Amino acid sequence: MASKPVTLQVQSRGKRIPKLPSEASTYLQGSGSDLYERISKATGVSVHRIRITNADDGKPVPNDKSITVASTGLQNGSTIQVKDLGPQIAWRTVFVIEYLGPLLIHPLFYYLRPYIYKGADAEPSLLQTASCITITLHFFKRELETLFVHRFSNATMPARNIFKNSFHYWVLAGLLIAYPSYSPTSATAAQADSLLLNVGLALFTFGELANLNTHLILRSLRSAGGTERGVPKGLGFGWVTCPNYLFESIAWLGILLINRSWATGVFIAVAVGQMAIWAKKKENRYRKELGSKYQKKRYSMIPGIW
């Protein structure tokens, strides 16, 4: 016998939602995504713009096809709270905008050197050319991965956050590194040390290719539009939780050996610190969600250190 629908009491949380009904009908064995679709249809507000919370315990009801309404603790007569999160922007668009900054800024500073710096009439140095090429390739790869490789567990984020998120890339990876790097008086303008240059190029190449391999492995674990998590295996996953962050750090170490700028060191310190936090959270999430299927890692990002 098919299960009967139940009735949930509905309240606004925060900003009032004009067309929000006082009650909603759903099925306890229906998915969280189905409940979101019902509320979205009733209010005319995008499913990505609302958040539903169980009023009894304050926990969010996930917009997930694999999670039932009953598993969130809701039952007939329960109250849910619906919040309008405001204008949203797709995560894929967010990343495209973020990476576009340094992708444009470095070639502009490189080619417009005579108009930006005094005494920059001479040709750029080998290190300046190598810096521009490696940094541009790095962010071009990121753009391609955003468009064709990455699968996102969350479809959108609040549109107002795009400015905060872009600061890291447009300002730190873009302007902060570019301005001193292409100056005629910078360390990058000096004569290249062949050994350091070759080691830097080797680290950059290995880091980028290994990072891409990790992203392809992670992509294979999730279906298009899905939010499921699998147990990742492959190069680096036996060492740390997030080898993509490890290989990203190796690639940037290569860029630092080529670039030799203090600004690049500042960017790397900020980026590695942030990735270390994300990696630790990812390890905790794997342990919680994958349980006994997941082999716990002692180090989340850098073997022997973190």
Side-chain angles (χ1 to χ4, degrees), residues 111-133:
Y111 286 109
L112 297 179
R113 289 174 65 256
Y115 305 99
I116 298 173
Y117 311 98
K118 290 183 179 180
D121 298 328
E123 290 293 315
S125 71
L126 175 60
L127 292 180
Q128 288 174 326
T129 300
S131 293
C132 184
I133 290 174

Side-chain angles (χ1 to χ4, degrees), residues 146-179:
T146 297
L147 295 173
F148 303 111
V149 177
H150 292 322
R151 286 174 173 163
F152 302 95
S153 55
N154 294 317
T156 65
M157 77 165 194
R160 63 181 180 276
N161 289 350
I162 186 63
F163 301 103
K164 177 183 68 177
N165 286 33
S166 295
F167 178 88
H168 177 76
Y169 294 101
W170 284 71
V171 177
L172 296 185
L175 294 173
L176 180 68
I177 295 179
Y179 185 78

Side-chain angles (χ1 to χ4, degrees), residues 42-55:
T43 60
V45 178
S46 169
V47 69
H48 300 301
R49 184 168 165 160
I50 59 177
R51 177 186 295 148
I52 300 175
T53 305
N54 184 335

Side-chain angles (χ1 to χ4, degrees), residues 179-237:
Y179 185 78
S181 296
Y182 306 112
S183 167
T185 60
S186 70
T188 322
Q191 185 174 357
D193 181 308
S194 297
L195 177 60
L196 285 180
L197 176 60
N198 290 331
V199 171
L201 289 173
L203 289 174
F204 171 79
T205 303
F206 169 76
E208 293 292 336
L209 292 177
N211 177 265
L212 172 60
N213 178 69
T214 305
H215 288 160
L216 291 173
I217 291 173
L218 293 174
R219 171 188 168 85
S220 69
L221 299 176
R222 176 175 293 166
S223 61
T227 59
E228 69 276 13
R229 296 186 190 277
V231 179
K233 297 179 181 179
L235 179 64
F237 284 104

